[in-house]
Amino acid sequence: MNITDDDSPNGGHNAMFTPPGDGAGVERAGRPRKALLSSSMVGSTNRGRVLQALFDLGPTSRADLARLAGVNRTTISGIVQPLIDDQVLIESDPIPANPGGGKPARPLWFSPKARPICGVLLMPDAVHACVSTLDGKIEAERKMALPDGRGPVGPIIETIAECVGDTLAKARRTPFGIGVGVGGMVDTDRGSIVTVNLAPALDRYPLAEELGRRFGLPVKLDHHPRALLLGDRWFGAGRGVRQFAVVYTGEVLGGALYFDGHLYRGTAGAGGELGHTFVQLDGELCRCGRRGCWDTIATLSWLRREAAGAGLPEPELIDSGRLADMAARQVPGAEKLLDRYARNVAVGIANLQQTVAPNIFILHGDVVLGGDRLLEAIASHVRAMVPARPGGQIEFIAGDAGDGAALLGAAGLVISELLQLPI
């Protein structure tokens, strides 16, 4: 963490000019230049970095924040005092000083009186909304089934609005805003849905604009796997980690990337469509209209078809949890299918590791139900596919099989954007 002083004449290292030439006296036409940060922007950057440090470190005193930032305590006090006055932060009771002496520390943390945040998870068949505190405690939530996504869009939007409205009505204060994670392609610049393959009625719908109009709150929209990643980054296993990837499996497959302290979105949110990277040339036809996508070999639809072909009982109900249980009971064909599924999940992860080497993978969704048996099988296949190299140890972490991480991550979109925390 590097917190700059509001009074710094150049706004610290964040406020820099692009040099007029390239070092050889040659002016490059059209090269973008970085403007100086205004004093207000420097202040918001500093606030964001202090809040980010608290998310990463947990309750931390002013003195420790100052020491970590390399600034004096007065600078930190100037940043945090308005946050305390606005009931965003609270200073806890003093902790007894060490025997060596010194002033008792009073850790800063998020105030229980702070305005909450609203997270919404929109999947093709259901909408799930919550109101959460800034430190990730869900205070109210509601989930509703959606009308058929192949029908008119009106009833779908009304159901979403009802679910969100009922949840907001339970908030003790007006939330900072609404964050929406969508199980489909989104345009993050416009706040609109591009396409939801399983619910085409929502294609091209300006959802952020509609929810903002109805509820009078800022609305941030993003892809479901990126919401999962933010849930991990702010509240879960990715807290304080500089680089990791999230992979989600279920009815669809998706992923998201976090590099050097930043979520990768790509232009207009087009980056990270990992489920539609190619793993089999001329492979099975994907619902996107192309062949050989990772999505075609590592989702529940593939698993259930293969379970039927293997003669496993109730194949239409198979998920990773049931399959792992069958394998443990030595049901004929179960162990072999579990290993094939693990390998199919692993091949996409191995490609990702070979391309950008996040080194840490947090897995969510159906694969989590398979427990250690499936997680270890995936890890074993990935390590067999990826050449060993110094500093290239790959870690796998089981995330959330349900909606919790994605809901909190959707709320985390509000944290990232509206509290101006760098992400």
Side-chain angles (χ1 to χ4, degrees):
M1 182 179 66
N2 183 6
I3 300 176
T4 59
D5 192 333
D6 281 8
D7 296 326
S8 172
N10 66 358
H13 79 281
N14 295 291
M16 299 176 64
F17 285 111
T18 299
D22 62 0
V26 178
E27 182 80 19
R28 293 186 183 266
R31 174 182 285 184
R33 298 171 182 269
K34 294 181 180 179
L36 285 171
L37 293 178
S38 67
S39 59
S40 63
M41 291 175 67
V42 171
S44 66
T45 299
N46 287 343
R47 286 192 298 274
R49 290 183 176 180
V50 167
L51 292 170
Q52 181 173 334
L54 291 175
F55 275 108
D56 290 345
L57 302 171
T60 308
S61 69
R62 299 186 196 206
D64 285 340
L65 287 171
R67 176 178 55 81
L68 291 167
V71 298
N72 60 49
R73 181 173 169 145
T74 302
T75 297
I76 293 295
S77 293
I79 296 168
V80 303
Q81 191 58 53
L83 295 170
I84 294 173
D85 294 342
D86 290 341
Q87 296 185 325
V88 174
L89 299 180
I90 191 170
E91 210 161 23
S92 65
D93 294 334
I95 297 173
N98 294 328
K103 187 176 181 180
R106 299 186 65 191
L108 291 157
W109 192 234
F110 296 100
S111 171
K113 297 180 180 179
R115 291 170 62 187
I117 45 183
C118 177
V120 180
L121 177 59
L122 176 60
M123 301 302 277
D125 61 343
V127 57
H128 195 169
C130 80
V131 171
S132 165
T133 62
L134 290 180
D135 58 350
K137 296 182 178 66
I138 292 178
E139 296 184 318
E141 62 182 302
R142 186 175 183 193
K143 186 172 184 178
M144 296 178 65
L146 288 176
D148 189 344
R150 294 164 295 184
V153 73
I156 299 175
I157 300 304
E158 291 304 319
T159 303
I160 294 169
E162 179 183 349
C163 183
V164 174
D166 287 354
T167 307
L168 291 176
K170 300 173 185 175
R172 50 191 165 66
R173 291 185 65 187
T174 302
F176 278 110
I178 301 170
V180 185
V182 179
M185 294 176 64
V186 299
D187 184 332
T188 53
D189 289 351
R190 297 177 181 273
S192 63
I193 296 170
V194 176
T195 183
V196 178
N197 287 325
L198 299 178
L202 289 166
D203 291 359
R204 298 177 297 282
Y205 194 84
L207 186 62
E209 177 184 337
E210 177 66 20
L211 293 179
R213 182 186 66 79
R214 287 182 182 241
F215 299 110
L217 293 171
V219 180
K220 299 296 177 182
L221 192 75
D222 215 326
H223 189 33
H224 165 245
R226 289 196 287 264
L228 276 172
L229 186 144
L230 287 179
D232 289 328
R233 189 266 170 269
W234 294 127
F235 310 112
R239 179 178 285 182
V241 177
R242 296 293 295 176
Q243 189 157 298
F244 67 95
V246 158
V247 173
Y248 169 86
T249 67
E251 296 292 344
V252 296
L253 188 148
L257 307 170
Y258 190 73
F259 290 129
D260 196 26
H262 295 282
L263 170 63
Y264 178 75
R265 286 189 171 95
T267 303
E273 288 290 338
L274 301 182
H276 298 288
T277 55
F278 298 114
V279 294
Q280 288 185 328
L281 291 177
D282 302 320
E284 183 181 332
L285 183 66
C286 181
R287 71 191 90 206
C288 74
R290 298 166 181 83
R291 290 190 177 275
C293 295
W294 190 16
D295 193 274
T296 64
I297 64 167
T299 54
L300 283 172
S301 57
W302 178 91
L303 185 63
R304 288 167 179 167
R305 287 197 308 271
E306 296 299 313
L312 294 177
E314 298 183 306
E316 71 281 0
L317 300 177
I318 284 281
D319 58 21
S320 290
R322 285 173 175 257
L323 184 59
D325 178 67
M326 290 180 188
R329 292 188 286 110
Q330 299 184 337
V331 174
E335 181 65 41
K336 183 177 179 180
L337 180 57
L338 185 78
D339 187 70
R340 288 178 61 207
Y341 189 47
R343 187 174 185 274
N344 287 356
V345 173
V347 68
I349 293 175
N351 286 337
L352 188 58
Q353 176 65 20
Q354 288 285 75
T355 305
V356 290
N359 283 12
I360 298 173
F361 292 87
I362 304 175
L363 306 184
H364 288 276
D366 173 67
V367 289
V368 178
L369 298 174
D372 291 343
R373 191 184 198 103
L374 182 55
L375 190 69
E376 289 168 5
I378 293 169
S380 177
H381 280 297
V382 171
R383 290 173 181 138
M385 295 173 187
V386 177
R389 57 179 297 162
Q393 293 80 9
I394 307 170
E395 181 180 358
F396 295 87
I397 300 171
D400 186 6
D403 289 351
L407 267 181
L408 287 177
L413 291 166
V414 178
I415 293 174
S416 305
E417 301 293 338
L418 302 180
L419 297 187
Q420 298 177 338
L421 294 174
I423 187 72

